Amino acid sequence: MQISDHYRPFEKKVVIAVTNNERARLLCAEGREVNEIEVIDTPDIAAIERTMSKHDGGEADFDAMKLHRLKELYTALGDRLRVMLDHEGYAEAIVCVPEINKNTFAEHLPGDMLKKISAVVPKNLASMDIQHIVRILLES
């Protein structure tokens, strides 16, 4: 997708990661071109035995399951961003994380990776079209 002449072009090759509770969409932005290049999905209820505990009537601890899935997502995202920044020619990374997950993101991303991210935007943009994501990021 090509961004409007109304906005300034991206001066460097930038990876934009937009996340929600289940996935991270990776966008490549360079010049006036922005394209989705990859999606990282959380694993299906991975290692349920480790994340579930029984309460009163044998109900699962869904908060622990959600936290475990976020940890898996953010770890996978951090690993992928590391490769992109270190070996694939990306000069910068911008990550959009739902505001409620911002602290969880920071806690579960390796410390050296957090330093490499130029901006963490507290917005849930993962379900939006690329043109809307770019407009929101460029106008903020």
Side-chain angles (χ1 to χ4, degrees):
M1 181 205 94
Q2 192 148 23
I3 61 174
S4 166
D5 290 338
H6 177 71
Y7 300 107
R8 62 176 169 71
F10 289 90
E11 295 175 9
K12 309 172 199 170
K13 188 174 180 182
V14 177
V15 59
I16 301 169
V18 290
T19 70
N20 59 18
N21 291 335
E22 300 170 354
R23 72 178 37 105
R25 295 172 56 198
L26 301 178
L27 311 175
C28 172
E30 188 171 21
R32 295 206 169 279
E33 286 292 319
V34 180
N35 296 298
E36 185 168 336
I37 55 171
E38 192 173 335
V39 175
I40 300 171
D41 286 312
T42 55
D44 292 333
I45 314 295
I48 293 175
E49 305 81 35
R50 288 185 287 153
T51 60
M52 291 177 62
S53 63
K54 300 291 182 179
H55 291 284
D56 301 328
E59 298 200 14
D61 185 347
F62 290 106
D63 288 338
M65 285 176 29
K66 178 183 170 187
L67 183 61
H68 177 73
R69 291 184 72 186
L70 282 174
K71 179 181 176 186
E72 295 284 325
L73 175 64
Y74 295 150
T75 299
L77 176 59
D79 292 344
R80 184 65 182 111
L81 289 175
R82 179 185 314 280
V83 170
M84 294 174 92
L85 291 167
D86 291 347
H87 303 292
E88 294 181 10
Y90 288 86
E92 189 176 341
I94 299 169
V95 180
C96 300
V97 179
E99 187 167 3
I100 194 166
N101 295 340
K102 190 174 178 183
N103 290 336
T104 303
F105 173 74
E107 290 170 11
H108 292 98
L109 195 71
D112 66 321
M113 275 309 301
L114 201 54
K115 293 176 186 173
K116 291 183 179 187
I117 295 172
S118 59
V120 177
V121 180
K123 293 185 182 287
N124 185 350
L125 307 177
S127 63
M128 294 184 164
D129 292 333
I130 293 173
Q131 63 190 19
H132 292 107
I133 294 169
V134 172
R135 180 181 54 79
I136 289 168
L137 291 176
L138 292 176
E139 289 179 356
S140 59

